[in-house]
Amino acid sequence: MSKKFYITTPIYYPSASPHLGHAYCTTMCDIIARGKRLRGFETYFVTGLDEHGEKIQENAAAKGVTPQAFVDEIAVRFTDLWNTMCISNDDFIRTTQPRHYETVKKIFSEFVKNDDVYLGSYKGWYCVHEESYWTETQVGEEHLCPECGRPVVEKEEPSYFFRCGKYVDVLMNHYDTHPGFITPEGRKAEMVNNFIKPGLNDLCVTRTTFDWGVPVNEAPGHVIYVWLDALTNYITALGYNQEDDSRFQKFWNDPEAEIVHVIGADITRFHTIYWPMFLKALNLRQPNKVFVHGLMMMKDGKMSKSKGNVIPVPPLVDRFGVDAVRYYMAREIVFGQDGQFTPEQFVERLNADLANSLGNLLNRSVSMIIKYFGGVIPEYKGELNDLDKNLKEVAEKTVKSYEVLNDELKVTEAYASVMELVGAANKYIEESAPWALAKDQAKADVLASCMSHLANAIFLAGSLLSPILVTKSEKIFDQLGVPAEMRNYDAAAKFGSLGGQTVNKGDQLFPRLDVETEVQFIKDLMLAPKEKAAA
Ligand code: ME8
């Protein structure tokens, strides 16, 4: 039976248009999901939108539309972006959908029934932007949100509270017995030292001062806290507590299923403290991993519209192609660390890796197979020289490290290892010097071996890169003449399976970019409209 793998992105607030940061997180999850599918895992990939809460209600009111109309309009921008980025999500959950909304009510009733929540009154400092209460110490004398720096407001309201005290020991025990539950490891110490050790207050889980949320059956006037509502999407999307829960049984309830939540550092507290407690209260298993990725920053800090440093994704994809943008994200920004977007590095990375290394390797190899073997990849079964053996060894090692690194979610490292194979194949051409072999009839076998090794190395690299290069990997296979039945992981990973097929000389898949022109193109995209008007 194939292994089950469930991966989720945060469900984003549809409070404004999505930007490169949202695209980054979702694309990385897509690359992981496609990588697992490629290797035969039964994979389920969910993204979606977190549509309730005071912030959405305020934004809608400011525009003079209903919250539902407001989120419906922005939801389209998200789905359009996911189409642009070729995101292969299996579901797109919106918290206003009845399947989710009704289940959240049931979950809350379960908490009431089991005395996991109680009615009290809350007084504290609230940040509407982060949808989060903070203590006096956390907001400091200036009364600013410690997360986003915006002013907080003092609020008092009757509220239900979730009994965190009941689950702290279980949580700490889970951390201790499951290293890697929070990855990177450093984030765990942050949670323990900053939030758990100082003493975790019970969490306020209902609101009465606005109504854009899921109502509490047991208490009219209360709506369920947006974070409790949002976190449960990870199980409601699978059909938890719904008529057909087969997907939930398969991807969550099965202890063998691997569950990964990918999130940004800003929402670690909710995913690694409260979510595990909610799951425990529902008597459900924990995810295997909460993976905290880094932020995509600009030279002058976080992307923001007011700074005019937001990169709109569609024109970037139009200009460079979806594969190139995906490649840049996976390869240039180390997954799990913050990274900085600069137009120069973007163009240079594409030129170095895709045009010079991969594109060049494909072009040269296809041309040589046409020139020396009439376009037919030699079926070479003879002896291997040291250079052949070395390339074959690198290829075999690449498959192993690709699998291990991908399973550890070391995505950047996994694809770096594939590019090392591409580099080794280019070096192999230089060292084998096929142009010299072609001049010597006695070396015909060596030349055949060389072409066979090159074709197979490219086949393997193209296949391993296919979770990123969602359109170009097929074109690589077209140029190599790989038949449909061989376009799979097993055929590519079994180094040497290609031979006898006819190659096709095609267009340059990754033309070299003119650095100056393209850097300027990206800089123009970054200019805020008002600066553009002034320029
Ligand atoms: O927090 N670089 O939604 P949100 C990289 N609704 N990733 C970025 C980024 C950047 N510059 N900016 C945003 C919420 N992100 C809640 C989540 S989940 C149950 C509820 C990504 O719209 C990153 O993954 O503010 C971050 O955690 C997420 O968007 C926050 O999205």
Side-chain angles (χ1 to χ4, degrees), residues 9-16 19-26 48-51 55 78 129-130 226-227 229-234 262-268 270-271 293-298 301-303 338-339:
T9 72
I11 51 168
Y12 307 105
Y13 292 126
S15 43
H19 56 64
L20 198 62
H22 301 115
Y24 170 70
C25 176
T26 306
L49 296 178
D50 181 2
E51 305 192 332
K55 181 165 60 173
F78 274 87
H129 183 79
E130 296 294 326
V226 66
W227 269 102
D229 172 358
L231 287 161
T232 57
N233 93 86
Y234 299 132
V262 176
I263 59 164
D266 50 337
I267 55 179
T268 314
F270 293 102
H271 283 80
H293 69 75
L295 278 181
M296 197 188 250
M297 311 283 282
M298 305 303 283
K302 219 176 155 174
M303 279 176 233
D338 287 347

Short mmCIF file of all heavy atoms in Angstrom, two decimals, residues 9-16 19-26 48-51 55 78 129-130 226-227 229-234 262-268 270-271 293-298 301-303 338-339, ligand 1:
data_model
loop_
_atom_site.label_atom_id
_atom_site.label_comp_id
_atom_site.label_asym_id
_atom_site.label_seq_id
_atom_site.Cartn_x
_atom_site.Cartn_y
_atom_site.Cartn_z
N THR A 9 -0.92 24.43 3.62
CA THR A 9 -0.37 25.78 3.78
C THR A 9 -1.22 26.45 4.86
O THR A 9 -2.29 25.94 5.21
CB THR A 9 -0.54 26.62 2.50
OG1 THR A 9 -1.93 26.97 2.35
CG2 THR A 9 -0.07 25.90 1.26
N PRO A 10 -0.79 27.61 5.38
CA PRO A 10 -1.71 28.37 6.22
C PRO A 10 -2.92 28.73 5.34
O PRO A 10 -2.79 28.80 4.11
CB PRO A 10 -0.94 29.64 6.57
CG PRO A 10 0.49 29.37 6.23
CD PRO A 10 0.48 28.33 5.16
N ILE A 11 -4.07 28.92 5.95
CA ILE A 11 -5.15 29.48 5.14
C ILE A 11 -5.04 31.00 5.32
O ILE A 11 -5.05 31.52 6.43
CB ILE A 11 -6.55 28.90 5.47
CG1 ILE A 11 -6.85 28.95 6.96
CG2 ILE A 11 -6.65 27.47 4.94
CD1 ILE A 11 -8.32 28.64 7.27
N TYR A 12 -4.88 31.67 4.20
CA TYR A 12 -4.53 33.10 4.24
C TYR A 12 -5.76 33.97 4.49
O TYR A 12 -6.89 33.58 4.17
CB TYR A 12 -3.88 33.52 2.91
CG TYR A 12 -2.71 32.62 2.53
CD1 TYR A 12 -2.83 31.65 1.53
CD2 TYR A 12 -1.50 32.71 3.21
CE1 TYR A 12 -1.78 30.82 1.20
CE2 TYR A 12 -0.44 31.88 2.89
CZ TYR A 12 -0.58 30.93 1.89
OH TYR A 12 0.46 30.11 1.57
N TYR A 13 -5.52 35.17 5.05
CA TYR A 13 -6.61 36.14 5.19
C TYR A 13 -6.88 36.77 3.84
O TYR A 13 -5.95 37.36 3.26
CB TYR A 13 -6.20 37.27 6.14
CG TYR A 13 -6.03 36.88 7.58
CD1 TYR A 13 -4.85 37.16 8.27
CD2 TYR A 13 -7.07 36.27 8.28
CE1 TYR A 13 -4.70 36.82 9.61
CE2 TYR A 13 -6.92 35.93 9.62
CZ TYR A 13 -5.73 36.20 10.28
OH TYR A 13 -5.58 35.88 11.59
N PRO A 14 -8.11 36.73 3.38
CA PRO A 14 -8.37 37.45 2.13
C PRO A 14 -8.64 38.92 2.41
O PRO A 14 -9.69 39.45 2.05
CB PRO A 14 -9.62 36.73 1.58
CG PRO A 14 -10.30 36.18 2.79
CD PRO A 14 -9.28 36.01 3.87
N SER A 15 -7.69 39.58 3.10
CA SER A 15 -7.93 40.98 3.44
C SER A 15 -7.35 41.90 2.36
O SER A 15 -7.71 43.06 2.27
CB SER A 15 -7.33 41.31 4.81
OG SER A 15 -6.07 40.74 4.93
N ALA A 16 -6.44 41.40 1.58
CA ALA A 16 -5.89 42.17 0.46
C ALA A 16 -5.41 41.16 -0.58
O ALA A 16 -5.46 39.96 -0.34
CB ALA A 16 -4.73 43.02 0.94
N HIS A 19 0.45 38.34 -2.33
CA HIS A 19 1.71 38.82 -2.90
C HIS A 19 2.74 37.67 -2.99
O HIS A 19 2.41 36.51 -2.74
CB HIS A 19 2.26 40.01 -2.11
CG HIS A 19 2.44 39.73 -0.64
ND1 HIS A 19 3.32 38.81 -0.15
CD2 HIS A 19 1.83 40.26 0.45
CE1 HIS A 19 3.28 38.79 1.16
NE2 HIS A 19 2.35 39.66 1.56
N LEU A 20 3.96 38.05 -3.35
CA LEU A 20 5.00 37.05 -3.57
C LEU A 20 5.25 36.17 -2.33
O LEU A 20 5.58 34.99 -2.46
CB LEU A 20 6.31 37.77 -3.96
CG LEU A 20 7.39 36.94 -4.64
CD1 LEU A 20 6.91 36.37 -5.97
CD2 LEU A 20 8.65 37.77 -4.87
N GLY A 21 5.04 36.73 -1.13
CA GLY A 21 5.23 35.97 0.11
C GLY A 21 4.23 34.82 0.20
O GLY A 21 4.60 33.68 0.53
N HIS A 22 2.95 35.09 -0.10
CA HIS A 22 1.95 34.01 -0.09
C HIS A 22 2.30 32.99 -1.18
O HIS A 22 2.21 31.78 -0.99
CB HIS A 22 0.55 34.56 -0.37
CG HIS A 22 0.09 35.58 0.64
ND1 HIS A 22 -0.13 36.89 0.29
CD2 HIS A 22 -0.17 35.48 1.95
CE1 HIS A 22 -0.52 37.55 1.38
NE2 HIS A 22 -0.55 36.72 2.40
N ALA A 23 2.69 33.53 -2.34
CA ALA A 23 3.02 32.64 -3.47
C ALA A 23 4.19 31.75 -3.09
O ALA A 23 4.23 30.57 -3.45
CB ALA A 23 3.36 33.46 -4.71
N TYR A 24 5.13 32.30 -2.31
CA TYR A 24 6.31 31.53 -1.91
C TYR A 24 5.90 30.31 -1.09
O TYR A 24 6.27 29.18 -1.39
CB TYR A 24 7.27 32.43 -1.11
CG TYR A 24 8.39 31.67 -0.46
CD1 TYR A 24 9.40 31.11 -1.23
CD2 TYR A 24 8.43 31.47 0.92
CE1 TYR A 24 10.43 30.38 -0.65
CE2 TYR A 24 9.45 30.75 1.52
CZ TYR A 24 10.44 30.20 0.73
OH TYR A 24 11.45 29.47 1.30
N CYS A 25 5.10 30.56 -0.04
CA CYS A 25 4.73 29.44 0.85
C CYS A 25 3.95 28.37 0.09
O CYS A 25 4.23 27.18 0.20
CB CYS A 25 3.92 30.00 2.03
SG CYS A 25 3.33 28.71 3.12
N THR A 26 2.99 28.81 -0.70
CA THR A 26 2.14 27.84 -1.40
C THR A 26 2.95 27.08 -2.46
O THR A 26 2.77 25.88 -2.65
CB THR A 26 0.92 28.55 -2.03
OG1 THR A 26 0.27 29.27 -0.99
CG2 THR A 26 -0.06 27.58 -2.65
N GLY A 48 -6.11 27.34 1.32
CA GLY A 48 -7.44 27.95 1.42
C GLY A 48 -7.41 29.32 2.04
O GLY A 48 -6.36 29.97 2.08
N LEU A 49 -8.57 29.75 2.50
CA LEU A 49 -8.71 31.11 3.03
C LEU A 49 -9.41 31.12 4.38
O LEU A 49 -10.34 30.36 4.63
CB LEU A 49 -9.51 31.97 2.04
CG LEU A 49 -8.88 32.21 0.68
CD1 LEU A 49 -9.81 33.02 -0.20
CD2 LEU A 49 -7.53 32.91 0.81
N ASP A 50 -8.94 32.04 5.21
CA ASP A 50 -9.40 32.25 6.58
C ASP A 50 -10.29 33.50 6.52
O ASP A 50 -9.78 34.62 6.57
CB ASP A 50 -8.12 32.47 7.41
CG ASP A 50 -8.38 32.69 8.88
OD1 ASP A 50 -9.53 32.65 9.30
OD2 ASP A 50 -7.38 32.89 9.60
N GLU A 51 -11.60 33.29 6.37
CA GLU A 51 -12.44 34.40 5.92
C GLU A 51 -13.21 35.14 7.01
O GLU A 51 -13.91 36.10 6.71
CB GLU A 51 -13.41 33.87 4.85
CG GLU A 51 -12.66 33.20 3.71
CD GLU A 51 -13.52 32.91 2.51
OE1 GLU A 51 -14.74 32.72 2.67
OE2 GLU A 51 -12.97 32.88 1.39
N LYS A 55 -11.07 41.79 11.45
CA LYS A 55 -10.33 42.54 10.42
C LYS A 55 -11.07 42.51 9.08
O LYS A 55 -11.20 43.52 8.40
CB LYS A 55 -8.93 41.91 10.26
CG LYS A 55 -8.08 42.62 9.25
CD LYS A 55 -6.62 42.25 9.34
CE LYS A 55 -6.36 40.78 9.11
NZ LYS A 55 -4.93 40.45 9.05
N PHE A 78 -6.87 34.94 -5.25
CA PHE A 78 -6.03 33.84 -4.76
C PHE A 78 -6.08 32.66 -5.73
O PHE A 78 -5.04 32.13 -6.11
CB PHE A 78 -6.46 33.40 -3.35
CG PHE A 78 -5.83 34.22 -2.25
CD1 PHE A 78 -6.42 35.39 -1.82
CD2 PHE A 78 -4.64 33.81 -1.66
CE1 PHE A 78 -5.84 36.15 -0.80
CE2 PHE A 78 -4.05 34.57 -0.64
CZ PHE A 78 -4.66 35.74 -0.21
N HIS A 129 -5.37 43.65 13.76
CA HIS A 129 -4.64 43.18 12.59
C HIS A 129 -4.18 41.74 12.76
O HIS A 129 -4.33 40.91 11.87
CB HIS A 129 -3.43 44.07 12.33
CG HIS A 129 -2.68 43.69 11.10
ND1 HIS A 129 -3.10 44.03 9.84
CD2 HIS A 129 -1.58 42.92 10.93
CE1 HIS A 129 -2.28 43.53 8.96
NE2 HIS A 129 -1.33 42.84 9.59
N GLU A 130 -3.66 41.42 13.95
CA GLU A 130 -3.17 40.05 14.20
C GLU A 130 -4.28 39.16 14.74
O GLU A 130 -4.05 37.98 14.98
CB GLU A 130 -2.00 40.07 15.20
CG GLU A 130 -0.76 40.79 14.71
CD GLU A 130 -0.12 40.09 13.52
OE1 GLU A 130 -0.16 38.87 13.44
OE2 GLU A 130 0.42 40.81 12.66
N VAL A 226 -11.49 33.57 15.67
CA VAL A 226 -11.06 33.27 14.30
C VAL A 226 -9.92 32.25 14.24
O VAL A 226 -9.83 31.45 13.30
CB VAL A 226 -10.73 34.59 13.55
CG1 VAL A 226 -9.53 35.28 14.15
CG2 VAL A 226 -10.55 34.36 12.08
N TRP A 227 -9.06 32.22 15.27
CA TRP A 227 -7.96 31.26 15.21
C TRP A 227 -8.42 29.82 15.49
O TRP A 227 -7.91 28.88 14.89
CB TRP A 227 -6.82 31.67 16.15
CG TRP A 227 -5.83 32.52 15.43
CD1 TRP A 227 -5.70 33.87 15.52
CD2 TRP A 227 -4.86 32.08 14.48
NE1 TRP A 227 -4.70 34.31 14.67
CE2 TRP A 227 -4.17 33.23 14.03
CE3 TRP A 227 -4.49 30.84 13.95
CZ2 TRP A 227 -3.14 33.17 13.10
CZ3 TRP A 227 -3.48 30.78 13.02
CH2 TRP A 227 -2.81 31.93 12.60
N ASP A 229 -11.42 28.78 14.78
CA ASP A 229 -12.12 28.53 13.52
C ASP A 229 -11.11 28.12 12.43
O ASP A 229 -11.25 27.08 11.77
CB ASP A 229 -12.87 29.84 13.20
CG ASP A 229 -13.52 29.91 11.84
OD1 ASP A 229 -13.40 28.97 11.07
OD2 ASP A 229 -14.15 30.95 11.56
N ALA A 230 -10.04 28.93 12.28
CA ALA A 230 -9.10 28.72 11.17
C ALA A 230 -8.29 27.43 11.31
O ALA A 230 -8.15 26.68 10.34
CB ALA A 230 -8.15 29.91 11.08
N LEU A 231 -7.79 27.18 12.51
CA LEU A 231 -6.90 26.01 12.67
C LEU A 231 -7.63 24.70 12.34
O LEU A 231 -7.04 23.77 11.79
CB LEU A 231 -6.35 25.96 14.09
CG LEU A 231 -5.28 27.02 14.40
CD1 LEU A 231 -5.12 27.22 15.90
CD2 LEU A 231 -3.93 26.65 13.77
N THR A 232 -8.92 24.68 12.65
CA THR A 232 -9.65 23.42 12.42
C THR A 232 -9.82 23.11 10.94
O THR A 232 -10.24 22.01 10.59
CB THR A 232 -11.02 23.43 13.11
OG1 THR A 232 -11.74 24.55 12.64
CG2 THR A 232 -10.89 23.50 14.62
N ASN A 233 -9.50 24.08 10.08
CA ASN A 233 -9.62 23.79 8.63
C ASN A 233 -8.82 22.56 8.23
O ASN A 233 -9.17 21.87 7.28
CB ASN A 233 -9.19 25.00 7.80
CG ASN A 233 -7.72 24.93 7.40
OD1 ASN A 233 -7.37 24.32 6.38
ND2 ASN A 233 -6.85 25.49 8.21
N TYR A 234 -7.73 22.32 8.97
CA TYR A 234 -6.85 21.22 8.58
C TYR A 234 -7.56 19.87 8.69
O TYR A 234 -7.17 18.91 8.03
CB TYR A 234 -5.59 21.22 9.44
CG TYR A 234 -4.75 22.49 9.31
CD1 TYR A 234 -4.28 23.16 10.43
CD2 TYR A 234 -4.44 23.01 8.05
CE1 TYR A 234 -3.52 24.32 10.31
CE2 TYR A 234 -3.69 24.16 7.93
CZ TYR A 234 -3.22 24.82 9.06
OH TYR A 234 -2.47 25.96 8.94
N VAL A 262 2.85 23.50 6.88
CA VAL A 262 3.91 24.47 6.58
C VAL A 262 3.36 25.87 6.89
O VAL A 262 2.26 26.21 6.44
CB VAL A 262 4.35 24.38 5.10
CG1 VAL A 262 5.38 25.46 4.78
CG2 VAL A 262 4.94 23.00 4.81
N ILE A 263 4.12 26.64 7.66
CA ILE A 263 3.65 27.97 8.08
C ILE A 263 4.80 28.96 8.12
O ILE A 263 5.97 28.56 8.08
CB ILE A 263 3.05 27.90 9.52
CG1 ILE A 263 4.09 27.40 10.52
CG2 ILE A 263 1.80 27.03 9.56
CD1 ILE A 263 3.74 27.67 11.96
N GLY A 264 4.47 30.24 8.23
CA GLY A 264 5.49 31.26 8.44
C GLY A 264 5.69 31.44 9.94
O GLY A 264 4.83 31.09 10.75
N ALA A 265 6.84 32.04 10.31
CA ALA A 265 7.19 32.16 11.74
C ALA A 265 6.16 32.97 12.52
O ALA A 265 5.97 32.75 13.72
CB ALA A 265 8.55 32.82 11.86
N ASP A 266 5.45 33.89 11.84
CA ASP A 266 4.50 34.75 12.54
C ASP A 266 3.35 33.98 13.19
O ASP A 266 2.69 34.50 14.08
CB ASP A 266 3.93 35.80 11.55
CG ASP A 266 3.42 35.20 10.25
OD1 ASP A 266 3.85 34.09 9.88
OD2 ASP A 266 2.57 35.84 9.59
N ILE A 267 3.11 32.76 12.76
CA ILE A 267 1.95 32.05 13.30
C ILE A 267 2.35 30.73 13.97
O ILE A 267 1.54 29.83 14.13
CB ILE A 267 0.87 31.84 12.19
CG1 ILE A 267 1.45 31.13 10.97
CG2 ILE A 267 0.29 33.17 11.77
CD1 ILE A 267 0.41 30.87 9.86
N THR A 268 3.60 30.67 14.41
CA THR A 268 4.11 29.45 15.06
C THR A 268 3.36 29.16 16.35
O THR A 268 3.02 28.02 16.64
CB THR A 268 5.61 29.61 15.38
OG1 THR A 268 6.26 30.15 14.25
CG2 THR A 268 6.25 28.29 15.73
N PHE A 270 0.35 29.73 17.35
CA PHE A 270 -0.98 29.12 17.19
C PHE A 270 -0.88 27.66 16.76
O PHE A 270 -1.65 26.82 17.19
CB PHE A 270 -1.81 29.92 16.16
CG PHE A 270 -2.16 31.28 16.67
CD1 PHE A 270 -1.47 32.41 16.24
CD2 PHE A 270 -3.17 31.44 17.60
CE1 PHE A 270 -1.78 33.67 16.73
CE2 PHE A 270 -3.49 32.70 18.10
CZ PHE A 270 -2.79 33.81 17.67
N HIS A 271 0.09 27.39 15.89
CA HIS A 271 0.18 26.03 15.35
C HIS A 271 0.89 25.04 16.26
O HIS A 271 0.68 23.84 16.13
CB HIS A 271 0.91 26.05 13.99
CG HIS A 271 0.04 26.54 12.89
ND1 HIS A 271 -0.21 27.87 12.67
CD2 HIS A 271 -0.69 25.88 11.95
CE1 HIS A 271 -1.02 28.01 11.65
NE2 HIS A 271 -1.33 26.82 11.18
N HIS A 293 8.70 28.04 7.75
CA HIS A 293 9.58 28.56 6.68
C HIS A 293 9.94 30.02 6.99
O HIS A 293 9.34 30.65 7.86
CB HIS A 293 8.91 28.44 5.31
CG HIS A 293 7.73 29.36 5.12
ND1 HIS A 293 7.87 30.70 4.91
CD2 HIS A 293 6.40 29.12 5.14
CE1 HIS A 293 6.66 31.24 4.78
NE2 HIS A 293 5.76 30.31 4.93
N GLY A 294 10.92 30.52 6.27
CA GLY A 294 11.36 31.90 6.51
C GLY A 294 10.55 32.90 5.71
O GLY A 294 9.68 32.53 4.91
N LEU A 295 10.85 34.14 5.93
CA LEU A 295 10.15 35.20 5.20
C LEU A 295 10.91 35.57 3.94
O LEU A 295 12.14 35.49 3.91
CB LEU A 295 10.10 36.47 6.06
CG LEU A 295 9.01 36.56 7.11
CD1 LEU A 295 9.10 37.89 7.82
CD2 LEU A 295 7.62 36.38 6.49
N MET A 296 10.16 35.95 2.93
CA MET A 296 10.80 36.50 1.76
C MET A 296 10.85 38.01 1.96
O MET A 296 9.81 38.66 2.05
CB MET A 296 10.01 36.12 0.52
CG MET A 296 10.83 36.31 -0.71
SD MET A 296 9.81 36.08 -2.14
CE MET A 296 10.43 34.58 -2.74
N MET A 297 12.08 38.50 2.12
CA MET A 297 12.24 39.93 2.43
C MET A 297 12.73 40.68 1.19
O MET A 297 13.26 40.09 0.26
CB MET A 297 13.30 40.10 3.53
CG MET A 297 13.13 39.21 4.72
SD MET A 297 11.85 39.76 5.81
CE MET A 297 12.70 41.07 6.64
N MET A 298 12.60 42.00 1.27
CA MET A 298 13.19 42.84 0.24
C MET A 298 14.38 43.55 0.88
O MET A 298 14.55 43.52 2.10
CB MET A 298 12.17 43.87 -0.26
CG MET A 298 10.88 43.23 -0.75
SD MET A 298 11.13 42.02 -2.04
CE MET A 298 11.40 43.08 -3.44
N GLY A 301 13.58 45.50 3.89
CA GLY A 301 12.74 44.85 4.90
C GLY A 301 11.58 44.11 4.30
O GLY A 301 11.61 43.70 3.14
N LYS A 302 10.55 43.93 5.13
CA LYS A 302 9.40 43.13 4.73
C LYS A 302 8.69 43.79 3.54
O LYS A 302 8.69 45.02 3.42
CB LYS A 302 8.45 43.06 5.93
CG LYS A 302 7.80 41.71 6.09
CD LYS A 302 6.95 41.64 7.32
CE LYS A 302 5.88 40.59 7.14
NZ LYS A 302 5.09 40.33 8.32
N MET A 303 8.11 42.93 2.68
CA MET A 303 7.37 43.51 1.56
C MET A 303 6.15 44.24 2.06
O MET A 303 5.41 43.72 2.88
CB MET A 303 6.82 42.37 0.70
CG MET A 303 7.79 41.79 -0.24
SD MET A 303 6.97 40.41 -1.06
CE MET A 303 8.15 39.16 -0.74
N ASP A 338 15.08 32.86 6.40
CA ASP A 338 14.65 34.06 5.69
C ASP A 338 15.51 34.24 4.45
O ASP A 338 16.67 33.82 4.42
CB ASP A 338 14.83 35.31 6.57
CG ASP A 338 13.78 35.35 7.68
OD1 ASP A 338 12.81 34.58 7.61
OD2 ASP A 338 13.96 36.16 8.62
N GLY A 339 14.95 34.85 3.44
CA GLY A 339 15.74 35.10 2.23
C GLY A 339 15.40 36.47 1.70
O GLY A 339 14.33 37.01 1.98
O1 ME8 B 1 -1.78 34.44 9.37
N1 ME8 B 1 7.37 35.73 2.96
O2 ME8 B 1 -2.87 34.56 7.33
P1 ME8 B 1 -1.92 35.55 6.50
C1 ME8 B 1 7.03 34.44 3.12
N2 ME8 B 1 -5.01 33.48 8.38
N3 ME8 B 1 5.82 34.05 3.52
C2 ME8 B 1 4.90 34.98 3.77
C3 ME8 B 1 5.18 36.35 3.62
C4 ME8 B 1 6.48 36.73 3.20
N4 ME8 B 1 6.86 37.98 3.00
N5 ME8 B 1 4.05 37.03 3.94
C5 ME8 B 1 3.11 36.10 4.26
C6 ME8 B 1 -2.72 34.19 8.64
N6 ME8 B 1 3.62 34.86 4.16
C7 ME8 B 1 -3.83 33.27 9.13
C8 ME8 B 1 -3.36 31.84 9.04
S1 ME8 B 1 -3.71 29.22 9.38
C9 ME8 B 1 -4.75 28.23 10.23
C10 ME8 B 1 -4.33 30.83 9.57
C11 ME8 B 1 2.93 33.58 4.41
O3 ME8 B 1 -2.69 35.90 5.28
C12 ME8 B 1 3.50 32.85 5.62
O4 ME8 B 1 3.32 31.47 5.42
O5 ME8 B 1 -1.42 36.64 7.36
C13 ME8 B 1 2.63 33.34 6.75
O6 ME8 B 1 2.62 32.49 7.89
C14 ME8 B 1 1.30 33.39 6.07
O7 ME8 B 1 1.57 33.85 4.73
C15 ME8 B 1 0.35 34.35 6.81
O8 ME8 B 1 -0.74 34.60 6.01
#
